[in-house]
Amino acid sequence: MPMPQYVKTAIDGAVGRIILNRPERYNALNRAMIREIVEAMEQFDRDETIGAIVLSGAGKSFSAGADIDEMVEATPITMELLDPFADWDRISRVKKPLLAAVHGYVLGGGFELALACDLIYATDATRFGFPEVNLGVMPGAGGTQRLTKRIGRTRALEWLWTGEQMTADQAERFGLVNRLVEADQLEATVLTVAHRIAAQPKMSVRLIKDAVDKAGDLSIQDGMEHERRNFYLLFATDDQTEGMQAFLEKRQPTFKGN
Ligand code: CO8
């Protein structure tokens, strides 16, 4: 794989880190950058030593959205042929927890990238928004769908139509972020959560994400049947034996991740 140009990656114990690294453009997402982000996610997803993946942005902001320079000459045909969203779609196939630590501007495609993550931590000065309408377009990487599912139709429409920026407080009130913290606490906070999750039995974490994802698509009864199959499957793991045995023996469990 060629050296990534727009992202930095790092491994911090059992946590894989992906840092958007195009700060001079507010981490505007060009196609190559999205591919690098997705490939880094997939690499960590395959790495047995990694239990959680943290995404963050270098410089003043998480991301000001898709790279407008790259889109300005686009036509429906060039986009159909380039199929830029094929890479975005790969994000929803990542099985491990994805945590986004966002600050500064989280706009357009940057907001969509954060919404594609499982957990979002933000600073109290973060600004969220979908300004695409101001450019004569609209979100294309899941924004209308994910925002609506999270905050409801009427609220979503107002933000998407006006293109206005949402404060961190509003985002928290709408349930879009897990926690707001001071800027100098963001990295420590998200890493603490990521390490906590990464230390949990890996198959439990994986099948919990799989079951929770089904809650958005399936009827309650089908969702519960899916959940039950995942529950049964966990009884095939050593971590289930260890977790329950440790409880009965009144000791801390030692999980092996299988
Ligand atoms: N694309 C390209 N360049 C950008 C972007 C962007 N999204 N955002 C900022 N930049 C560049 C600026 O052009 C500028 O470059 P230069 O120094 O060469 O002039 C540099 O970053 C710094 O930006 P500003 O001078 O504008 O800095 P300010 O502090 O004045 O403003 C803002 C910061 C508010 C973030 C402002 O730059 C801004 O409004 N940016 C655009 C935000 C936007 O409209 N985002 C939505 C883009 S469309 C989208 O995301 C569609 C997603 C669908 C997925 C698409 C997949 C193909």
Side-chain angles (χ1 to χ4, degrees):
M1 205 194 299
M3 278 291 286
Q5 193 183 345
Y6 301 111
V7 302
K8 283 193 291 191
T9 60
I11 291 181
D12 178 347
V15 174
R17 297 193 57 182
I18 303 170
I19 299 147
L20 314 190
N21 192 29
R22 205 187 174 202
E24 70 288 356
R25 313 289 285 179
Y26 282 89
N27 294 323
L29 301 160
N30 59 29
R31 284 189 301 277
M33 188 166 171
I34 279 293
R35 174 147 309 166
E36 288 178 10
I37 294 166
V38 172
E39 284 177 353
M41 285 178 179
E42 289 175 343
Q43 202 165 340
F44 287 138
D45 210 27
R46 285 191 298 268
D47 184 337
E48 283 179 18
T49 67
I50 298 295
I53 302 165
V54 171
L55 215 67
S56 59
K60 286 197 278 191
S61 281
F62 177 68
S63 172
D67 189 331
I68 298 169
D69 298 358
E70 217 181 44
M71 286 185 294
V72 70
E73 304 282 353
T75 70
I77 303 302
T78 58
M79 282 191 290
E80 168 62 26
L81 293 173
L82 277 169
D83 195 10
F85 299 113
D87 285 327
W88 287 82
D89 287 346
R90 290 156 67 187
I91 301 175
S92 39
R93 290 194 290 276
V94 173
K95 305 270 188 181
K96 287 181 184 162
L98 289 171
L99 290 77
V102 303
H103 72 292
Y105 292 112
V106 183
L107 303 177
F111 197 0
E112 290 173 307
L113 181 60
L115 287 172
C117 292
D118 301 308
L119 308 178
I120 304 178
Y121 297 83
T123 73
D124 33 27
T126 307
R127 308 283 290 190
F128 299 85
F130 280 114
E132 284 89 337
V133 68
N134 304 326
L135 303 170
V137 288
M138 59 181 282
T144 61
Q145 306 304 297
R146 289 202 169 102
L147 189 70
T148 304
K149 285 199 172 171
R150 300 272 179 96
I151 72 175
R153 184 176 190 274
T154 55
R155 280 193 191 128
L157 279 173
E158 187 177 333
W159 293 109
L160 291 161
W161 276 337
T162 63
E164 282 172 8
Q165 288 173 10
M166 193 186 287
T167 64
D169 282 338
Q170 286 168 318
E172 190 188 36
R173 248 183 295 126
F174 296 157
L176 279 171
V177 297
N178 287 77
R179 207 177 310 165
L180 294 184
V181 292
E182 303 271 341
D184 60 357
Q185 295 300 310
L186 181 63
E187 179 165 329
T189 303
V190 74
L191 284 176
T192 301
V193 180
H195 281 294
R196 172 90 183 93
I197 296 169
Q200 299 289 56
K202 286 200 172 54
M203 280 304 283
S204 296
V205 170
R206 184 184 180 100
L207 295 189
I208 286 169
K209 174 165 170 170
D210 174 74
V212 167
D213 282 345
K214 291 286 180 292
D217 304 331
L218 299 181
S219 69
I220 184 82
Q221 193 54 42
D222 289 345
M224 289 202 300
E225 279 170 24
H226 186 86
E227 174 190 75
R228 213 160 292 162
R229 281 191 290 276
N230 286 3
F231 177 73
Y232 295 152
L233 197 53
L234 289 172
F235 284 76
T237 63
D238 290 343
D239 284 345
Q240 173 269 329
T241 311
E242 168 64 6
M244 293 195 178
Q245 203 60 41
F247 176 80
L248 295 178
E249 293 168 10
K250 302 190 188 308
R251 61 173 173 82
Q252 285 300 312
T254 307
F255 293 122
K256 292 194 304 193
N258 56 31

